[in-house]
Amino acid sequence: MKIPFDTPWADFLKTETTKPYFKSLEDFVDREYAENICYPPKDQVFTAFEACSPDQVKVVIIGQDPYHGPNQAHGLCFSVNDWIPFPPSLRNIFKEVSADTGAPIPLTGNLTRWAEQGVLLLNATLTVRHGQAGSHQGKGWETFTDAVIDYVSTNTSNVVFLLWGSYAKNKCRKVDVTKHLILESCHPSPLSAIRQKWFGNHHFSRANKYLIAHGKEPIVW
């Protein structure tokens, strides 16, 4: 894997990637990419860290694992490459953004523009085998991304954690609520969105209101 030691995450990455669990994880990922089709492309596994530095993080969004179809995943949770049709969850995210903030539905599902404004788009598992959702779970990625969340919680203040669905809520159970804002909702997937009322959660305007109140620039969603 291409680990971005040349980014502002370098101190964290140098510490975490020397731990025994990460060596086992790295061996597993290298073998999977050598023997199978996996996503995202190997040089995009750490895109979330290259796009958003620790001191710039304003919002954290947690996904489960990358899209497992061709040309979709590029290292940012819920995001797809330019000109790829919106997956259902992403379409529902954009619908809520539009209803909540008045922003038009974008032409592209590429969320790099969010990441560059300080939105850490973190999947709990950073890789996946083609056509097999969850295939790289339980191999060490969860330990790594737990450490990322703990690092952000400990070393920053006034970050908004948008937790969509039970998996994301459980993932962030150790976030320090005395110094950060947690907004919870059901997952934006079609079944959850309708049955559990994803629409109308106003997470995007609420996040911006909090950021402004703490002297930070709001996100242009």
Side-chain angles (χ1 to χ4, degrees):
M1 290 186 288
K2 178 181 176 289
I3 301 171
F5 292 123
D6 57 345
T7 72
W9 291 92
D11 288 345
F12 166 79
L13 291 171
K14 286 176 182 176
T15 298
E16 202 63 26
T17 58
T18 59
K19 295 180 179 178
Y21 86 87
F22 195 89
K23 175 58 177 172
S24 297
L25 169 63
E26 193 168 21
D27 289 344
F28 167 78
V29 171
D30 286 343
R31 186 168 62 252
E32 279 287 288
Y33 274 77
E35 298 174 357
N36 302 283
I37 297 172
C38 296
Y39 305 117
K42 206 171 184 182
D43 62 351
Q44 295 177 7
V45 171
F46 292 95
T47 296
F49 302 91
E50 297 172 315
C52 180
S53 65
D55 61 339
Q56 294 175 327
V57 175
K58 301 176 186 176
V59 177
V60 176
I61 299 176
I62 305 294
Q64 196 155 340
D65 58 1
Y67 297 120
H68 51 83
N71 303 315
Q72 292 180 303
H74 63 117
L76 304 176
C77 75
F78 292 105
S79 181
V80 292
N81 283 303
D82 290 325
W83 316 124
I84 297 297
F86 301 163
S89 292
L90 182 58
R91 182 171 297 279
N92 283 341
I93 289 170
F94 286 151
K95 286 180 179 178
E96 177 59 22
V97 169
S98 183
D100 186 23
T101 70
I105 302 293
L107 296 177
T108 176
N110 189 328
L111 301 181
T112 298
R113 63 190 183 280
W114 289 6
E116 291 174 345
Q117 295 178 76
V119 182
L120 181 61
L121 295 161
L122 183 67
N123 276 313
T125 303
L126 299 190
T127 57
V128 70
R129 190 186 294 183
H130 170 75
Q132 297 182 39
S135 51
H136 287 186
Q137 292 177 359
K139 302 299 183 181
W141 277 130
E142 295 89 347
T143 302
F144 175 78
T145 50
D146 279 348
V148 175
I149 293 165
D150 181 67
Y151 184 84
V152 172
S153 178
T154 302
N155 293 283
T156 67
S157 297
N158 307 129
V159 170
V160 183
F161 287 79
L162 300 183
L163 308 183
W164 301 336
S166 59
Y167 188 90
K169 294 172 189 176
N170 291 333
K171 184 77 175 169
C172 293
R173 63 190 180 278
K174 294 184 180 179
V175 170
D176 186 347
V177 297
T178 67
K179 56 190 291 198
H180 303 291
L181 176 65
I182 289 179
L183 298 177
E184 297 185 352
S185 175
C186 69
H187 195 275
S189 62
L191 286 178
S192 295
I194 294 171
R195 294 177 180 175
Q196 301 179 43
K197 299 182 179 179
W198 156 263
F199 298 108
N201 64 37
H202 300 289
H203 276 193
F204 304 98
S205 61
R206 291 167 67 188
N208 277 350
K209 184 177 180 180
Y210 178 85
L211 294 174
I212 292 168
H214 290 86
K216 298 184 178 183
E217 287 292 318
I219 304 298
V220 180
W221 298 109

